[in-house]
Amino acid sequence: MSGLVQLVPNRTLLTNSPKESRQLAMKVARVVIEATQPDTSRRERLRPAYAEDPALLIALEQNVALEFAVIAAANNYWKK
Amino acid sequence: MSGLVQLVPNRTLLTNSPKESRQLAMKVARVVIEATQPDTSRRERLRPAYAEDPALLIALEQNVALEFAVIAAANNYWKK
Amino acid sequence: MSGLVQLVPNRTLLTNSPKESRQLAMKVARVVIEATQPDTSRRERLRPAYAEDPALLIALEQNVALEFAVIAAANNYWKK
Amino acid sequence: MSGLVQLVPNRTLLTNSPKESRQLAMKVARVVIEATQPDTSRRERLRPAYAEDPALLIALEQNVALEFAVIAAANNYWKK
Amino acid sequence: MSGLVQLVPNRTLLTNSPKESRQLAMKVARVVIEATQPDTSRRERLRPAYAEDPALLIALEQNVALEFAVIAAANNYWKK
Amino acid sequence: MSGLVQLVPNRTLLTNSPKESRQLAMKVARVVIEATQPDTSRRERLRPAYAEDPALLIALEQNVALEFAVIAAANNYWKK
């Protein structure tokens, strides 16, 4: 299931900035969905649902928030 | 996907006050939605749904709460 | 959007007691909803939905719990 | 709205045991619902919905879990 | 409501292993549902819904995750 | 209920990398679902629902995020 997808891009949670961490949060969330539905064409068929349904857009955003919380803690919130 | 949107406005989670952090929490949440549905006119068509549907309003508020939790921790809760 | 509403009443997360913090948690949650749907009369029309729908009541309570978690941490849980 | 209900029973998050904290978590969650729908008879009419609908039972349990997380932290997890 | 059910089995959050904590997390979540719907036969009638509905299975798992987070922190993640 | 399934694979939350932890997070989440619906053939029948329904895919991802948060903290975010 997770053999083909790279569960954590760049193999680390450490990033240089909050912005990079938001990107990482979006990626790690997406990767779980890819691992659960590995068929690219089926996933593509689901994509309009995400992008057009307000409830799904909000739910996706929530997942990014949750992933970001961990990444931000791992980076000690970029405090010097 | 995140090329055109600024994922973290002002590039930092540090703010001067809880109020600024609430604003930032609302912005970072919105930006993920913009990155997922980058078509402005489609997003505008979805907007009434957010503003009129009690379940979506509550869900949006929850996301702000989750984003705020991270920003507040990053600012050490504005303790001196 | 957040120009007219006061996102954090009293401008601080510090409170004197858990009870005050619960009140603050309820207020900051409500304010996000007001910022998203700033039309008072439309919001009033949505209010019965919140108060009569068990799922929405539970969802609202969840948001208060999430906001309270941050406020409680900001107050170091009122430990002396 | 929160004038008549006691938002935090016993005015403190400190408890003597995990069991007491679970009870407190259930109470503080219920009180928010009472504050949002202060009409007792309407609330009573909603009660069967909570008790018979699996999704609502699970949602209620989730709120207790979230409230408990804060109370447990406030009590430093009852570590000596 | 919580007079007959044991809200925290073994009266402590301390466990010997992550596995025991997962079991405890599943138990404390179940107990809240029992306290909300104390009628065993009605609860039994709801059980197929949990076990056959993917959304409810996922929601139940989420609650276990949330309860586990607290128990794991209480045990300092079983670090020596 | 949890007699036959291994609630925490490898009996520890400690891992060597974020990637391993993501895998562990996916496994521990799945195991709770197996414990709740132990009938393999019924679970298999539910599987297409997870993989084809955008809302369920997002919900599953959220659970992985929540489990991962605990595992990451247990590993002190792989800081040296």
Side-chain angles (χ1 to χ4, degrees):
Chain A
M1 180 181 199
S2 53
L4 295 174
V5 293
Q6 178 66 22
L7 286 176
V8 180
N10 304 331
R11 297 159 182 270
T12 175
L13 298 183
L14 299 184
T15 67
N16 291 313
S17 66
K19 182 187 167 187
E20 265 186 36
S21 282
R22 296 294 290 184
Q23 291 173 323
L24 182 56
M26 294 170 77
K27 279 182 198 157
V28 295
R30 202 183 313 139
V31 165
V32 173
I33 290 174
E34 293 176 16
T36 310
Q37 175 48 278
D39 183 323
T40 307
S41 65
R42 293 193 181 195
R43 237 169 31 237
E44 287 305 309
R45 253 179 285 145
L46 298 177
R47 203 179 144 67
Y50 294 111
E52 305 283 350
D53 181 326
L56 294 179
L57 280 168
I58 295 173
L60 267 175
E61 203 290 308
Q62 182 170 342
N63 290 16
V64 173
L66 291 167
E67 300 286 9
F68 180 66
V70 177
I71 298 168
N75 286 279
N76 198 29
Y77 306 102
W78 302 274
K79 292 171 189 169
K80 92 226 126 303
Chain B
M1 179 181 202
S2 53
L4 295 175
V5 292
Q6 178 66 23
L7 286 175
V8 179
N10 304 330
R11 297 159 182 270
T12 175
L13 297 184
L14 299 184
T15 67
N16 290 313
S17 67
K19 181 186 167 186
E20 266 186 36
S21 282
R22 296 294 289 184
Q23 291 173 322
L24 182 56
M26 294 169 77
K27 279 182 198 158
V28 295
R30 203 183 312 139
V31 165
V32 174
I33 291 175
E34 292 177 16
T36 310
Q37 175 49 277
D39 183 323
T40 307
S41 65
R42 291 192 183 195
R43 239 173 25 241
E44 287 306 309
R45 251 179 287 145
L46 299 177
R47 205 180 142 67
Y50 294 111
E52 305 283 351
D53 181 325
L56 295 180
L57 280 168
I58 295 174
L60 268 176
E61 203 290 308
Q62 182 170 341
N63 290 16
V64 173
L66 291 167
E67 300 285 10
F68 180 66
V70 177
I71 298 167
N75 286 279
N76 198 27
Y77 306 102
W78 302 275
K79 292 172 188 169
K80 91 229 130 296
Chain C
M1 179 182 202
S2 52
L4 295 175
V5 293
Q6 177 65 22
L7 286 175
V8 180
N10 304 329
R11 297 159 181 270
T12 175
L13 298 184
L14 299 184
T15 66
N16 290 313
S17 67
K19 182 186 167 187
E20 264 186 36
S21 282
R22 296 295 288 186
Q23 291 173 323
L24 182 56
M26 295 170 77
K27 278 182 198 158
V28 295
R30 202 183 313 139
V31 165
V32 173
I33 291 174
E34 293 176 15
T36 310
Q37 175 47 278
D39 182 322
T40 307
S41 65
R42 291 192 184 196
R43 237 172 28 239
E44 287 305 309
R45 251 179 287 145
L46 298 177
R47 204 180 142 66
Y50 294 111
E52 306 283 349
D53 181 326
L56 295 180
L57 280 167
I58 294 174
L60 267 174
E61 203 291 307
Q62 182 170 342
N63 290 17
V64 173
L66 291 168
E67 300 285 9
F68 181 66
V70 177
I71 298 168
N75 286 279
N76 199 27
Y77 307 102
W78 302 274
K79 292 170 188 170
K80 91 227 131 297
Chain D
M1 180 182 201
S2 53
L4 295 175
V5 293
Q6 178 65 22
L7 286 175
V8 180
N10 304 329
R11 296 159 181 271
T12 175
L13 297 185
L14 299 184
T15 67
N16 290 313
S17 67
K19 182 187 167 186
E20 264 186 36
S21 282
R22 296 295 289 185
Q23 292 174 323
L24 182 56
M26 294 170 77
K27 279 183 198 158
V28 295
R30 204 183 311 140
V31 165
V32 174
I33 291 174
E34 293 176 16
T36 311
Q37 175 48 278
D39 183 322
T40 307
S41 65
R42 291 192 183 196
R43 237 170 31 237
E44 287 306 308
R45 251 180 287 145
L46 299 177
R47 203 179 144 68
Y50 294 112
E52 306 283 349
D53 181 326
L56 295 179
L57 280 167
I58 294 173
L60 267 174
E61 204 289 309
Q62 182 170 342
N63 290 15
V64 173
L66 291 168
E67 300 286 8
F68 180 67
V70 177
I71 298 168
N75 286 279
N76 198 28
Y77 306 102
W78 303 274
K79 293 171 187 170
K80 89 226 132 297
Chain E
M1 180 183 203
S2 53
L4 295 174
V5 294
Q6 179 65 22
L7 286 175
V8 180
N10 305 329
R11 297 158 181 272
T12 175
L13 297 184
L14 300 183
T15 67
N16 290 312
S17 67
K19 182 187 166 185
E20 265 186 36
S21 282
R22 296 294 290 184
Q23 292 173 322
L24 182 56
M26 294 170 78
K27 280 182 196 158
V28 296
R30 204 183 312 139
V31 165
V32 173
I33 291 174
E34 293 177 16
T36 310
Q37 175 48 279
D39 183 322
T40 308
S41 66
R42 291 193 183 195
R43 235 166 36 234
E44 287 306 309
R45 251 179 288 143
L46 299 176
R47 202 178 145 67
Y50 294 111
E52 305 284 351
D53 182 327
L56 295 179
L57 280 167
I58 294 173
L60 267 174
E61 204 290 308
Q62 182 171 342
N63 291 16
V64 173
L66 291 167
E67 300 286 8
F68 180 67
V70 177
I71 298 169
N75 286 279
N76 199 28
Y77 306 102
W78 302 275
K79 292 171 188 169
K80 89 223 131 299
Chain F
M1 180 181 201
S2 53
L4 295 175
V5 293
Q6 179 65 22
L7 286 174
V8 181
N10 304 332
R11 296 158 182 271
T12 175
L13 297 183
L14 299 184
T15 67
N16 290 313
S17 67
K19 182 187 166 186
E20 266 186 35
S21 282
R22 295 295 290 185
Q23 291 173 323
L24 182 56
M26 294 171 77
K27 280 182 197 158
V28 295
R30 203 184 313 140
V31 165
V32 173
I33 290 174
E34 293 177 16
T36 310
Q37 175 48 278
D39 183 323
T40 307
S41 66
R42 292 193 182 194
R43 233 166 37 233
E44 287 305 309
R45 253 179 286 145
L46 299 177
R47 202 177 144 69
Y50 294 110
E52 305 283 351
D53 182 326
L56 295 179
L57 280 168
I58 294 173
L60 267 174
E61 204 289 309
Q62 182 170 342
N63 291 16
V64 173
L66 291 168
E67 300 286 9
F68 181 66
V70 177
I71 297 168
N75 286 279
N76 199 28
Y77 306 102
W78 303 275
K79 292 171 189 170
K80 91 227 129 300

PDB file of all heavy atoms in Angstrom, chain F residues 8 21-22 25 35:
ATOM      1  N   VAL F   8      -0.900  -2.531  18.447  1.00  0.00           N
ATOM      2  CA  VAL F   8       0.247  -1.691  18.084  1.00  0.00           C
ATOM      3  C   VAL F   8       1.320  -2.585  17.464  1.00  0.00           C
ATOM      4  O   VAL F   8       2.005  -3.307  18.180  1.00  0.00           O
ATOM      5  CB  VAL F   8       0.813  -0.945  19.318  1.00  0.00           C
ATOM      6  CG1 VAL F   8       1.995  -0.068  18.903  1.00  0.00           C
ATOM      7  CG2 VAL F   8      -0.256  -0.105  19.980  1.00  0.00           C
ATOM      8  N   SER F  21       6.901   6.285  10.727  1.00  0.00           N
ATOM      9  CA  SER F  21       5.809   6.690  11.615  1.00  0.00           C
ATOM     10  C   SER F  21       4.509   6.889  10.856  1.00  0.00           C
ATOM     11  O   SER F  21       3.431   6.618  11.384  1.00  0.00           O
ATOM     12  CB  SER F  21       6.182   7.980  12.350  1.00  0.00           C
ATOM     13  OG  SER F  21       7.055   7.688  13.412  1.00  0.00           O
ATOM     14  N   ARG F  22       4.607   7.382   9.653  1.00  0.00           N
ATOM     15  CA  ARG F  22       3.393   7.500   8.844  1.00  0.00           C
ATOM     16  C   ARG F  22       2.818   6.103   8.589  1.00  0.00           C
ATOM     17  O   ARG F  22       1.612   5.898   8.652  1.00  0.00           O
ATOM     18  CB  ARG F  22       3.687   8.182   7.497  1.00  0.00           C
ATOM     19  CG  ARG F  22       4.144   9.619   7.593  1.00  0.00           C
ATOM     20  CD  ARG F  22       3.141  10.568   8.126  1.00  0.00           C
ATOM     21  NE  ARG F  22       2.020  10.838   7.241  1.00  0.00           N
ATOM     22  CZ  ARG F  22       1.077  11.730   7.518  1.00  0.00           C
ATOM     23  NH1 ARG F  22       1.102  12.422   8.652  1.00  0.00           N
ATOM     24  NH2 ARG F  22       0.076  11.936   6.710  1.00  0.00           N
ATOM     25  N   ALA F  25       1.229   4.975  11.740  1.00  0.00           N
ATOM     26  CA  ALA F  25      -0.039   5.685  11.942  1.00  0.00           C
ATOM     27  C   ALA F  25      -1.154   5.061  11.102  1.00  0.00           C
ATOM     28  O   ALA F  25      -2.288   4.886  11.568  1.00  0.00           O
ATOM     29  CB  ALA F  25       0.121   7.168  11.593  1.00  0.00           C
ATOM     30  N   ALA F  35     -10.698  -4.231  14.617  1.00  0.00           N
ATOM     31  CA  ALA F  35     -11.214  -4.710  15.902  1.00  0.00           C
ATOM     32  C   ALA F  35     -12.721  -4.466  16.014  1.00  0.00           C
ATOM     33  O   ALA F  35     -13.436  -5.230  16.655  1.00  0.00           O
ATOM     34  CB  ALA F  35     -10.484  -4.033  17.057  1.00  0.00           C
TER      35      ALA F  35
END
